[in-house]
Amino acid sequence: MECVFGLVGNGFAIVVADTSAVHSILVHKSNEDKIMLLDSHKLIAASGEPGDRVQFTEYIQKNVALYQFRNGIPLTTSAAANFTRGELATALRKNPYFVNVLLAGYDKETGPSLYYIDYIATMHKVDKGAFGYGSYFSLAMMDRHYHSGMTVEEAIDLVDKCIMEIRSRLVVAPPNFVIKIVDKEGARQYAWRESVKDAPVPTA
């Protein structure tokens, strides 16, 4: 039931993910952040089995940090994507992770980039990509409205179009989405699109 998508614009990359933690017919929470900061200029958005998703993204995050700690320089986005693909490929023959990943980053030399990596360790550098049931609608909207060199305002408008399409067309549409952006200033949360808020947990 998950929806993860992203695109590359003029000097930035945006990734969007739903925030629903779902099992079978139950919604456990509606504020689960599925986009992790790998380092100051990289984001990894993941969909798949919740346990695999959390464990694998944390494993990649810590290894990217370890590389920077040992060598004094960060991995490039391409290197981080290839490392991620390699770990999925290794696990595929042993104890596979059911995780699909969109990895976005910004490098001083090459600018923004977005990598599509699926659970069988297929990797492509793309301008736009999506996973989950929402991909049927977000890819259609991006095919229609995406163009290279989009401004942040144009990209956010397109993201909102994709979210509205998912909410209106998908029978099991998640209510809330988180939007994160990475550019020369770094990776950060841009906005939330919420239609449902989790009730606060009462204190004893």
Side-chain angles (χ1 to χ4, degrees):
M1 312 305 175
E2 293 179 302
C3 306
V4 176
F5 60 95
L7 58 91
V8 176
N10 183 19
F12 66 91
I14 282 179
V15 285
V16 184
D18 76 279
T19 61
S20 296
V22 178
H23 178 72
S24 184
I25 62 170
L26 296 177
V27 177
H28 295 291
K29 61 190 294 195
S30 299
N31 59 355
E32 173 80 3
D33 192 349
K34 299 175 184 177
I35 307 175
M36 179 179 282
L37 270 67
L38 285 188
D39 63 21
S40 62
H41 286 75
K42 292 180 195 68
L43 294 167
I44 184 168
S47 68
E49 290 295 326
D52 286 354
R53 173 176 54 79
V54 172
Q55 198 277 332
F56 182 73
T57 52
E58 287 185 354
Y59 172 76
I60 296 299
Q61 182 192 48
K62 303 312 178 192
N63 274 276
V64 167
L66 178 62
Y67 178 91
Q68 185 169 355
F69 180 73
R70 281 178 170 170
N71 298 282
I73 57 170
L75 284 169
T76 64
T77 307
S78 174
N82 277 280
F83 172 73
T84 303
R85 193 212 73 83
E87 292 302 310
L88 279 172
T90 301
L92 192 62
R93 277 83 181 171
K94 298 175 182 177
N95 185 22
Y97 295 104
F98 188 72
V99 179
N100 300 303
V101 167
L102 284 177
L103 196 152
Y106 185 92
D107 301 298
K108 287 181 180 177
E109 299 79 14
T110 56
S113 54
L114 180 68
Y115 289 86
Y116 171 106
I117 310 165
D118 70 11
Y119 73 102
I120 51 172
T122 300
M123 185 182 81
H124 290 287
K125 185 179 180 182
V126 295
D127 290 327
K128 56 187 187 296
F131 286 113
Y133 281 118
S135 67
Y136 294 107
F137 309 102
S138 54
L139 283 176
M141 293 300 289
M142 288 191 287
D143 283 342
R144 176 68 180 85
H145 297 287
Y146 176 84
H147 62 85
S148 59
M150 295 183 85
T151 65
V152 173
E153 292 75 19
E154 288 175 326
I156 292 299
D157 183 58
L158 176 51
V159 164
D160 286 336
K161 282 186 171 78
C162 292
I163 291 172
M164 287 304 297
E165 194 71 9
I166 291 167
R167 283 176 173 168
S168 59
R169 299 277 184 177
L170 184 60
V171 69
V172 286
N176 301 338
F177 291 81
V178 61
I179 305 168
K180 295 191 181 182
I181 188 169
V182 57
D183 56 18
K184 64 182 179 181
E185 305 299 330
R188 60 197 181 277
Q189 183 175 298
Y190 185 87
W192 282 70
R193 296 292 186 259
E194 292 182 298
S195 58
V196 170
K197 287 187 181 291
D198 278 5
V201 178
T203 55

